[in-house]
Amino acid sequence: MTKLLVVVDYQNDFISGSLGFEKATKIKDNILTLLKNHQDDIVFTFDTHDENYLKTQEGKNLPICHCIKDTLGWQMPNDFDIYLKNAKKIFYKNTFGSLELANFLKQNYYSSIEFCGLVSHICVFSNIILAQSATPNSKIILHKNATTSFSESLEKNAYEILQAYGIELL
Ligand SMILES: [Zn+2]
């Protein structure tokens, strides 16, 4: 019965960089507390784009460069280094959801999967939906104090949908 903690896209560009917003800075300690207290496996996702970002479909919808591989904005804050070093796996993805993470969850059963990170109604939401399809018998939990959004109304909508899907919101 192993438990997995998934930290989604807690990267500088979403915190204080090109797509940063103040609420994102305030959940850092809560994520670090989850990381510190978690006994079992931990994985991370990294939003990862290249110089051609603006030409991608995401770039057309959101024409703000972010998370360009190997830049400071792509990295997570330094406090996360120790956890990144010990992570079971790191998933680099060039879109909201990580199919690699979903595949990993299909192949490695966890009794519970806990989510935190950024942004609640976008990449966190997308990865939870993928996770649920990949491993329907796992309990999926979202830590509300360790995720957030720049849009309160979209976040509220996302929470309602997740609850309707049977996701536990803590
Ligand atoms: Zn992106």
Side-chain angles (χ1 to χ4, degrees):
M1 295 283 272
T2 34
K3 297 176 170 188
L4 182 70
L5 177 65
V6 184
V7 181
V8 177
D9 297 11
Y10 197 69
Q11 292 161 268
N12 291 323
D13 268 345
F14 294 127
I15 305 164
S16 53
S18 58
L19 291 174
F21 57 106
E22 213 201 321
K23 277 195 279 178
T25 64
K26 296 189 173 150
I27 60 168
K28 184 163 93 169
D29 288 344
N30 293 339
I31 297 176
L32 287 169
T33 300
L34 287 175
L35 284 165
K36 199 172 78 187
N37 293 336
H38 195 78
Q39 306 287 329
D40 295 334
D41 294 350
I42 296 172
V43 298
F44 292 83
T45 69
F46 273 71
D47 202 43
T48 302
H49 299 292
D50 62 26
E51 303 298 340
N52 290 322
Y53 172 73
L54 292 175
K55 292 184 185 130
T56 66
Q57 190 59 40
E58 183 184 318
K60 284 172 191 159
N61 294 328
L62 175 67
I64 299 169
C65 277
H66 63 275
C67 298
I68 307 294
K69 194 175 189 308
D70 297 328
T71 62
L72 184 66
W74 174 73
Q75 289 165 17
M76 292 193 182
N78 292 338
D79 327 49
F80 287 72
D81 285 353
I82 181 173
Y83 300 107
L84 287 164
K85 216 184 295 166
N86 295 317
K88 175 90 177 168
K89 233 168 158 34
I90 296 176
F91 300 98
Y92 302 99
K93 59 183 186 59
N94 63 0
T95 184
F96 299 162
S98 169
L99 288 178
E100 248 189 287
L101 168 63
N103 260 327
F104 171 82
L105 295 175
K106 228 172 138 169
Q107 282 155 21
N108 302 274
Y109 176 73
Y110 290 94
S111 55
S112 79
I113 304 169
E114 298 173 45
F115 279 85
C116 63
L118 293 170
V119 167
S120 56
H121 77 270
I122 309 175
C123 290
V124 172
F125 180 86
S126 178
N127 281 294
I128 288 175
I129 300 299
L130 286 175
Q132 190 178 42
S133 298
T135 175
N137 289 319
S138 303
K139 181 186 180 87
I140 300 180
I141 296 160
L142 172 59
H143 289 276
K144 280 202 288 186
N145 73 348
T147 186
T148 191
S149 167
F150 48 86
S151 163
E152 250 173 63
S153 65
L154 286 173
E155 180 175 76
K156 188 171 166 277
N157 292 343
Y159 285 172
E160 278 175 17
I161 294 168
L162 290 174
Q163 252 164 346
Y165 280 28
I167 308 303
E168 187 175 327
L169 271 72
L170 277 189

mmCIF file of all heavy atoms in Angstrom, residues 19 58 74:
data_model
loop_
_atom_site.group_PDB
_atom_site.id
_atom_site.type_symbol
_atom_site.label_atom_id
_atom_site.label_comp_id
_atom_site.label_asym_id
_atom_site.label_seq_id
_atom_site.Cartn_x
_atom_site.Cartn_y
_atom_site.Cartn_z
ATOM 1 N N LEU A 19 4.586 34.087 -15.731
ATOM 2 C CA LEU A 19 3.173 33.797 -15.455
ATOM 3 C C LEU A 19 2.900 33.746 -13.957
ATOM 4 O O LEU A 19 1.937 33.128 -13.490
ATOM 5 C CB LEU A 19 2.760 32.471 -16.108
ATOM 6 C CG LEU A 19 2.701 32.462 -17.638
ATOM 7 C CD1 LEU A 19 2.427 31.047 -18.163
ATOM 8 C CD2 LEU A 19 1.618 33.413 -18.152
ATOM 9 N N GLU A 58 -0.357 25.759 -27.763
ATOM 10 C CA GLU A 58 -0.468 26.425 -26.459
ATOM 11 C C GLU A 58 0.013 27.863 -26.565
ATOM 12 O O GLU A 58 -0.593 28.785 -26.008
ATOM 13 C CB GLU A 58 0.333 25.659 -25.390
ATOM 14 C CG GLU A 58 0.180 26.273 -23.993
ATOM 15 C CD GLU A 58 1.042 25.598 -22.918
ATOM 16 O OE1 GLU A 58 1.123 24.356 -22.909
ATOM 17 O OE2 GLU A 58 1.642 26.315 -22.097
ATOM 18 N N TRP A 74 12.176 28.000 -15.572
ATOM 19 C CA TRP A 74 11.788 26.582 -15.720
ATOM 20 C C TRP A 74 12.032 25.802 -14.428
ATOM 21 O O TRP A 74 11.358 24.807 -14.155
ATOM 22 C CB TRP A 74 12.604 26.001 -16.871
ATOM 23 C CG TRP A 74 12.487 24.535 -17.110
ATOM 24 C CD1 TRP A 74 11.422 23.862 -17.656
ATOM 25 C CD2 TRP A 74 13.490 23.549 -16.858
ATOM 26 N NE1 TRP A 74 11.707 22.517 -17.746
ATOM 27 C CE2 TRP A 74 12.970 22.302 -17.266
ATOM 28 C CE3 TRP A 74 14.793 23.590 -16.331
ATOM 29 C CZ2 TRP A 74 13.698 21.113 -17.164
ATOM 30 C CZ3 TRP A 74 15.515 22.404 -16.233
ATOM 31 C CH2 TRP A 74 14.961 21.195 -16.647
#
